[in-house]
Structures are given as C-alpha cells and as structure tokens.
Amino acid sequence: MSRKHIIAVGLLLAACATLPYLFGIRHGFVYDDHGAIEENAFLLNPAHALRAAALLTLGDSTVIDGQRPAVLLSYFADRLLWGLNPVGWHATNLLLHTLAVLALFSLLRRWLGGERLLAPFAAAALFALHPAWLEAVQVPSYREDLLCALFIFLSLRLSLARRAGVQWLAVLMMIPALMSKESAVI
C-alpha cells in the first residue's frame, strides 16, 4: 500500500475520531469536572506537578486522582495551556482520542500485515465512533480511559517492532498506561 493511501486512511480516521464530538467542544465543564478541575486546589500550585511526576500523590487520599499521576499531569498541562477555559480541555480530550484511534490503526496494520487496510481501518473506525467513548471524550475529568488506551496501544505497537531495542519502549509505554488507570494491568 502506498504512503499516500495510508495517510488518506489516517486522515479519514482522524475525521471519524473528531467530527462526531465537535458539537461538544464549546460546552462548559460538567459532572466531575467541577470538583476534579475547577475546584481542585491541588492544581492551583504548579509545583504540585512535580509531586505527581515523582509519584508522591499515589498514597495521598487528599489529592483528587492522586492514584493516577498521568491524569494529574495532563490536568496540569491543560491548566497551564488553557487555564479554566473548557474549550481547551475538550480539545485535549479530542486530541487524545484521535491519537488513540491512530495508534490502534497502526497496531492492527502491523499485527495483520502492513498491506491490509480494510480490517484495521474498520476496527479503528468502530473504536473511534463507538458510543462507549462518549463520556471519556466529552468530559475532561474522564480522560483516564483515553490516556490508558493510547499508552496501551502504543505499548502493543512497539512490542511488535522489528528493530532491536524498540521492545524496551513498549515496556516504558506501559508505565504511563498504569499511571492513567489501574485497569491497564490487565
């Protein structure tokens, strides 16, 4: 398959991952967003990002999502980039969802043989459009599922690499997956 075909399929998948969710990008914060993002005093101090990165929040029950440092670090990044503008937070979730879809497509292409596009495309499109992802994509405080899926797909894809030494990156990608959601251990 030519590189142009693969790029075209990737762009089509990116459209599948983003277009259905664009209607919600201008919505405000909802549900747990209020407590986990807007009213979360821990996110007010950028120095706390170092605590999350050093995994010091894992046992701290006073920190919302403290057991999920990758999620916390993504919140700090959004807070730095967007402040409390929900549009930016929604855009981050859309980006994470799109990257997860493309990572799944890449994984399935590698798994099934690089020339086959239909089955990997269909599976990735189903993943992109499946209603089970609605809350994770539309609600910024539910992004742990997006982060976990993205890092698991990257880990699996890297585990199938042919170049020596790349498999270690697969192991490293599981760390942020586990730091996003506990179910990554499965």
Side-chain angles (χ1 to χ4, degrees):
M1 198 59 42
S2 76
R3 188 165 181 81
K4 286 182 182 179
H5 284 102
I6 294 168
I7 290 171
V9 169
L11 290 172
L12 186 56
L13 283 171
C16 287
T18 57
L19 292 177
Y21 299 106
L22 283 178
F23 73 90
I25 201 160
R26 290 213 168 277
H27 290 177
F29 290 123
V30 296
Y31 308 127
D32 294 347
D33 293 346
H34 300 295
I37 296 168
E38 285 184 309
E39 302 161 3
N40 189 346
F42 187 78
L43 298 177
L44 294 175
N45 185 348
H48 287 161
L50 295 175
R51 286 191 59 214
L55 308 181
L56 298 176
T57 61
L58 287 176
D60 190 345
S61 62
T62 64
V63 178
I64 297 171
D65 285 326
Q67 76 283 10
R68 297 175 172 167
V71 175
L72 274 178
L73 291 171
S74 76
Y75 289 170
F76 279 109
D78 271 4
R79 188 78 183 228
L80 179 67
L81 289 170
W82 315 111
L84 287 177
N85 182 353
V87 172
W89 293 71
H90 288 295
T92 298
N93 278 24
L94 272 176
L95 176 64
L96 291 170
H97 182 57
T98 302
L99 292 174
V101 168
L102 294 174
L104 176 61
F105 174 67
S106 177
L107 166 65
L108 294 174
R109 274 194 62 236
R110 179 76 175 119
W111 216 342
L112 298 174
E115 294 302 313
R116 294 181 178 172
L117 285 181
L118 184 58
F121 170 79
L126 178 63
F127 178 84
L129 296 168
H130 199 283
W133 289 100
L134 181 64
E135 279 187 330
V137 177
Q138 293 290 0
V139 182
S141 63
Y142 294 172
R143 76 170 51 152
E144 62 271 2
D145 293 310
L146 299 171
L147 287 166
C148 185
L150 173 61
F151 289 119
I152 286 173
F153 294 155
L154 289 173
S155 176
L156 290 171
R157 174 60 182 92
L158 289 166
S159 72
L160 298 174
R162 292 183 179 144
R163 291 190 318 225
V166 175
Q167 287 82 11
W168 285 104
L169 290 174
V171 174
L172 290 177
M173 282 295 116
M174 278 308 295
I175 295 170
L178 290 165
M179 295 296 123
S180 299
K181 192 165 185 178
E182 304 76 20
S183 60
V185 76
I186 293 170

